[in-house]
Amino acid sequence: PNISLSAPLPGIPKPVFASVDGQEQCETKITTLENGLKVASQNKFGQFCTVGILVNSGSRHETKYPSGIAHFLEKLAFSSTAQYGSKDEILLTLEKHGGICDCQTSRDTTMYAVSAEVKGLDTIVSLLSDAVLQPRLLDEEIEMTRMAVRFELEDLNMRPDPEPLLTEMIHAAAYRGNTVGLPRFCPVDNVEKIDKKLLHTYLRSYYCPERMVLAGVGIEHEQLVACARKYLLDVKPVWGASTPTNVDLSVAQYTGGIVRDMSDVSLGPTPIPELTHIMIGLESCSFLEEDFIPFAVLNMMMGGGGSFSAGGPGKGMFTRLYLNVLNRHHWMYNATSYHHSYEDSGLLCIHASADPRQVREMVEIITREFIQMAGTAGEMELARAKTQLKSMLMMNLESRPVIFEDVGRQVLWILISSTSDIKRVTTKMLRSKPAVAALGDLTEMPSYEHIQAALSSKDGRLPRMYRLFR
């Protein structure tokens, strides 16, 4: 019999579909304890939860210290504490609750996180409190960390993917000698300088309750607050009373400028082609400003990636850096847009790589893309970028812990971003001095002044060079 697929089948009960109360799902609850520590949670029902302590501390706060403290603290995280004799003991305790732990630091935040079964919540919070406030920082642990840091620094220079290195360079160029421009990785010369005494002095200032958030996803708010009161309210850290008056409050000063590294990036006769990498950035805005969303949409719209990325819908194959750059100029190996945003400034940059002989042409392609951002965006590409950004927020893929921001509000801002918003923020951005990072063979690299001239021109072209001897 021919059954119509659009009509319900006879005799079959009407299906009841699961529905989601939008507000209920994404609502973030926040409580501030008497000592200034904030507790934030988002309830997603399930067996597992992720709980973390976020500290407003990172390489940007090392103004008065040797750089590298945040890097050391990240590596030392979850080592022996007052309660636990070793990292292995911590891991075994977590294993009982099917848990794992991880510490990540960025330029402005350090996050100690545990994912485990909800029923182990008491143990989790107690362990986190111990790891953050009572680390033993034994001599042998610090020695091991020195080795790990040295190894990571060597690895950073050997990696075929120089993106982390370029990101470090462009921050140094954009914020010369201040805040987010300070090195995120410990400089080689400081590896020996960092010891327990120095770490304690730093921790005394920065690891105080008013700079911390205990955040949980997949957990009842009241339960989390109760655990916080138990383990984080009247705790005396191992380094003694805190000295929050010594906190560095300097605001990021965007300077623009150029950082070049012509060191031979070669690993000997490798199959990897010798490429020159360029990153050009301009000042965007902080993540607290309303312009943050149009910039995030713009970054999505630029998109890009490597010339060997596997394509497919939603993978950014329709972004501008693919359509205008990688698909037209087959000699380019990579063109990717990045947006770094902090509480007081931000940086939108494009990274590109190509054969050293084509550096000049590659730079001009990037400067022209920057100028074209100020043109009118197509409705189609704008809609696509907004959808991608929305799904990223929904899937919590943002590196900054999205849960502190009300996701619902952000999605709303994305929806109302228009082509005129993008035009407005780009025009403002193009008035800033460029930040440039260049790595590899720079024989054909245009001068900083020429790059600046191209970014102030109508079409983004580099000033013509008339050479007599070519």
Side-chain angles (χ1 to χ4, degrees), residues 260-318:
R260 296 183 183 85
D261 182 352
M262 291 165 278
S263 63
D264 189 23
V265 199
S266 158
L267 313 176
T270 51
I272 302 169
E274 285 285 329
L275 298 179
T276 296
H277 292 266
I278 304 286
M279 204 180 253
I280 298 180
L282 291 165
E283 186 178 20
S284 57
C285 72
S286 89
F287 60 75
L288 299 170
E289 292 170 60
E290 283 179 8
D291 285 352
F292 173 66
I293 295 289
F295 272 120
V297 173
L298 176 63
N299 180 46
M300 273 288 176
M301 204 159 80
M302 298 313 292
S307 54
F308 301 113
S309 311
K315 294 267 181 66
M317 286 294 155
F318 290 102

Side-chain angles (χ1 to χ4, degrees), residues 419-434:
T419 45
S420 63
D421 288 321
I422 291 191
K423 222 173 181 153
R424 176 176 53 81
V425 301
T426 308
T427 310
K428 189 179 89 178
M429 172 178 78
L430 285 165
R431 290 193 202 114
S432 67
K433 273 182 68 170

Side-chain angles (χ1 to χ4, degrees), residues 6 60 71 94:
S6 53
R60 71 168 293 163
H71 192 186
L94 285 172

Side-chain angles (χ1 to χ4, degrees), residues 221-276:
H221 189 69
E222 297 318 316
Q223 261 182 302
L224 192 59
V225 172
C227 287
R229 287 188 176 283
K230 188 167 162 190
Y231 297 113
L232 290 162
L233 192 52
D234 299 308
V235 191
K236 196 169 181 292
V238 63
W239 46 82
S242 55
T243 51
T245 44
N246 299 347
V247 164
D248 177 61
L249 297 172
S250 35
V251 173
Q253 299 297 315
Y254 181 89
T255 57
I258 183 163
V259 172
R260 296 183 183 85
D261 182 352
M262 291 165 278
S263 63
D264 189 23
V265 199
S266 158
L267 313 176
T270 51
I272 302 169
E274 285 285 329
L275 298 179
T276 296

Side-chain angles (χ1 to χ4, degrees), residues 105-164:
T105 162
S106 66
R107 290 173 188 278
D108 53 5
T109 312
T110 301
M111 173 170 80
Y112 297 79
V114 169
S115 290
E117 290 168 350
V118 176
K119 55 179 194 291
L121 184 67
D122 194 86
T123 313
I124 297 170
V125 179
S126 154
L127 188 147
L128 278 168
S129 164
D130 219 43
V132 175
L133 300 172
Q134 314 289 340
R136 291 191 195 175
L137 304 177
L138 305 171
D139 292 348
E140 62 260 36
E141 289 171 339
I142 289 182
E143 208 36 67
M144 286 286 287
T145 302
R146 288 190 180 129
M147 272 169 52
V149 166
R150 277 200 198 95
F151 178 75
E152 192 173 347
L153 293 175
E154 277 169 34
D155 183 54
L156 199 67
N157 291 315
M158 301 281 280
R159 272 215 188 118
D161 168 31
E163 202 271 319

